[in-house]
Amino acid sequence: MAKILFVMTGADHWTLSSGAKHHTGYWADEFAAPYQVFTEAGHDVVVATPAAVVPPVDLGSLAPNANGGEAEANKVAEIIEGADPLAHPVPLADVRLDDFAAVYYPGGHGPMEDLAVNPDSAALLVETLNSGKPLALVCHGPAALLATAADGPSPFAGYRLTAFSDAEERLGGLADKAKWLLEDRLIELGADYRSGEPFAPFLESDRNLHTGQNPASAGPLASAVLDVL
């Protein structure tokens, strides 16, 4: 079967406007749900991070109230604990797109810190977009798209997409503390940003770009990519 590349954050914090470091990482179920969807369909998952740092999980995302109850939280934790690719990431700089059938970016606030300014990630995003292979990003994962505009207009300008909304950031209590908000920056990038109800599943697909708004969208996004594959 195919190999799916998960590009994940190596950051364990997000620097706020005050300079304080908000402890974070990747959002647990944004890894766990797609990992389960892809592996149960027989695909292999490879994790890549900047400098092959083991991706840190946002501990808040493992709590029962973030997963719809203790049973679901335990299920997510078990998937993460049993996922060997998480413990053995490859360096993002060494990734060869030819080895993979699709590329997926989980969210969490971590990507706002590192992938939003990472040139290796930016190059991979542009290459994947141009290849026609499925490219999927969820929640704060689309922050990585911002790095594609470092040297000029982004090739993602004009694409219809979604990501964690300003409304959701306000409801989560971090909007007033942030240096910038993702929805605003994606609009500035030139993207055709869309959103649904806060914290409800919402997807957008435009050509080979597939995006999900929030954690509840991660599983459905993976299923959409599976349909394409």
Side-chain angles (χ1 to χ4, degrees):
M1 300 296 281
K3 283 186 179 180
I4 313 296
L5 180 67
F6 279 37
V7 180
M8 300 183 67
T9 182
D12 64 0
H13 68 277
W14 178 32
T15 305
L16 304 177
S17 58
S18 66
K21 293 182 177 180
H22 173 72
H23 291 286
T24 185
Y26 71 89
W27 196 260
D29 200 35
E30 292 174 23
F31 170 85
Y35 182 79
Q36 186 175 39
V37 168
F38 291 133
T39 55
E40 287 186 350
H43 299 298
D44 293 326
V45 167
V46 174
V47 171
T49 65
V53 174
V54 173
V57 64
D58 186 320
L59 296 179
S61 69
L62 293 171
N65 63 1
N67 292 283
E70 188 171 352
E72 284 302 311
N74 289 338
K75 178 182 175 182
V76 168
E78 288 173 5
I79 292 171
I80 288 173
E81 289 169 5
D84 186 68
L86 269 179
H88 301 95
V90 302
L92 182 55
D94 294 347
V95 165
R96 293 178 66 256
L97 180 61
D98 289 346
D99 296 335
F100 301 97
V103 177
Y104 168 66
Y105 279 65
H109 283 106
M112 303 273 278
E113 186 74 19
D114 60 354
L115 297 181
V117 294
N118 187 285
D120 294 320
S121 172
L124 176 65
L125 286 165
V126 174
E127 184 183 6
T128 309
L129 187 71
N130 292 336
S131 74
K133 293 181 178 182
L135 172 60
L137 309 93
V138 73
C139 199
H140 291 91
L145 301 180
L146 302 179
T148 67
D151 299 317
S154 169
F156 290 90
Y159 274 76
R160 189 178 68 254
L161 56 77
T162 189
F164 203 69
S165 66
D166 289 359
E168 287 168 317
E169 207 73 83
R170 285 192 293 271
L171 289 169
L174 288 173
D176 293 339
K177 302 176 182 179
K179 289 182 179 180
W180 48 270
L181 297 177
L182 183 54
E183 176 184 333
D184 297 342
R185 289 291 298 274
L186 289 171
I187 292 171
E188 291 172 8
L189 188 77
D192 180 7
Y193 177 85
R194 310 287 181 91
S195 63
E197 291 297 317
F199 305 112
F202 184 80
L203 305 180
E204 284 289 351
S205 291
D206 187 348
R207 288 154 280 186
N208 62 318
L209 178 65
H210 308 274
T211 50
Q213 181 175 325
N214 45 38
S217 306
L221 179 62
S223 295
V225 171
L226 201 62
D227 289 342
V228 174
L229 290 176

